[in-house]
Amino acid sequence: MTSRLLLEYDGSAFAGWASQPGQRTVQAEVERALRVVLRRDAVPVTVAGRTDTGVHALGQVASYAGPPAPVSGLNALLPDDVAALSCVAAADGFDARRDATSRAYCYRVLARRGRAGLDRGRALWWPHRVDFDALSECARALVGTHDFTAFTPTDTDHVRFSRDVYTAEWRRSAIDGVRERLEFWIEADAFMRQMNRVVVGTMLEVGGGRRTLEDFVALLAGRPRAEAGPTAPACGLYLVGVGYGGERVLT
């Protein structure tokens, strides 16, 4: 029997998803809770997206061999910054990572002069000039199939740098008279390490007038990492959800 687990977590105090000796990780906490609830010596889980240190999740999917665990029992054992949203039986052999056909992320930016208070650790504080129309043009350019070599570290295990982007857009909402929240939403077949954060860091340079839209578009043809912008902080990135069977998370 295979089960499918849906999780959300605040990644601020974790060294990412994957278990690491001597580090606090989401995987270690989830597997510990499953071992207790299911009364087993080990419950290895497979995850759809291995989030990095400081990255959050609103809809992380994991799978494991065994019966569904009661959500109430899991949440009684999980730390306050991790929550199980559901745990259900899945098709035999379901693999959260291998069977995923898309993943969706959101990156949050707090655009105002004053520093973040409530959003500290959950959004990038951006006190600089930003042209929303320029950001939107960059997002539109991302849709389609491109070579994202420029948007992942040079030292990488990736062998395929082409990705199919299904949706990419910036959204904005006024919170009060002095601040505005900007959110970058993207869904693709898969993502490389730090890809979204480098994309955001580079787009903000376009939005700030430090590079042009043409510069950004040129990077999508497989330019080297050194030509792209900085890596945006992890605190603003959220794994929103995972698509299976060709279904999209963002509509």
Side-chain angles (χ1 to χ4, degrees), residues 15 18-25:
S19 292
Q20 304 170 57
Q23 298 289 329
R24 183 175 187 257
T25 68

Side-chain angles (χ1 to χ4, degrees), residues 75-127:
N75 285 329
L77 293 166
L78 288 168
D80 291 342
D81 43 5
V82 184
L85 304 181
S86 68
C87 190
V88 298
D92 284 344
F94 169 74
D95 186 288
R97 186 175 185 83
R98 187 185 62 240
D99 294 341
T101 52
S102 69
R103 296 161 180 82
Y105 285 84
C106 172
Y107 194 95
R108 293 177 176 170
V109 178
L110 181 65
R112 71 174 185 190
R113 289 194 175 278
R115 65 180 176 85
L118 292 176
D119 286 322
R120 184 173 62 87
R122 292 183 174 85
L124 166 63
W125 170 45
W126 190 254

Side-chain angles (χ1 to χ4, degrees), residues 201-220:
T202 307
M203 286 192 287
L204 287 172
E205 289 193 333
V206 177
R210 293 190 294 280
R211 68 169 73 218
T212 67
L213 174 64
E214 290 71 24
D215 294 334
F216 181 78
V217 172
L219 294 171
L220 298 172

Side-chain angles (χ1 to χ4, degrees), residues 72-212:
S72 59
L74 284 178
N75 285 329
L77 293 166
L78 288 168
D80 291 342
D81 43 5
V82 184
L85 304 181
S86 68
C87 190
V88 298
D92 284 344
F94 169 74
D95 186 288
R97 186 175 185 83
R98 187 185 62 240
D99 294 341
T101 52
S102 69
R103 296 161 180 82
Y105 285 84
C106 172
Y107 194 95
R108 293 177 176 170
V109 178
L110 181 65
R112 71 174 185 190
R113 289 194 175 278
R115 65 180 176 85
L118 292 176
D119 286 322
R120 184 173 62 87
R122 292 183 174 85
L124 166 63
W125 170 45
W126 190 254
H128 313 292
R129 170 183 178 271
V130 60
D131 182 336
F132 184 78
D133 290 338
L135 294 179
S136 296
E137 289 177 351
C138 289
R140 284 191 288 271
L142 287 168
V143 178
T145 302
H146 305 286
D147 184 330
F148 286 90
T149 299
F151 300 97
T152 195
T154 302
D155 182 13
T156 179
D157 294 329
H158 293 294
V159 295
R160 181 178 72 90
F161 296 89
S162 176
R163 295 293 186 268
D164 299 326
V165 177
Y166 306 125
T167 300
E169 65 173 333
W170 280 91
R171 304 174 187 174
R172 61 181 173 183
S173 58
I175 303 174
D176 53 36
V178 296
R179 61 178 176 168
E180 181 175 56
R181 177 174 287 124
L182 308 179
E183 294 183 339
F184 173 61
W185 294 77
I186 184 170
E187 183 169 4
D189 61 337
F191 293 88
M192 294 182 291
R193 186 167 65 93
Q194 298 184 3
M195 174 177 154
N196 281 323
R197 292 164 57 196
V198 181
V199 166
V200 169
T202 307
M203 286 192 287
L204 287 172
E205 289 193 333
V206 177
R210 293 190 294 280
R211 68 169 73 218
T212 67

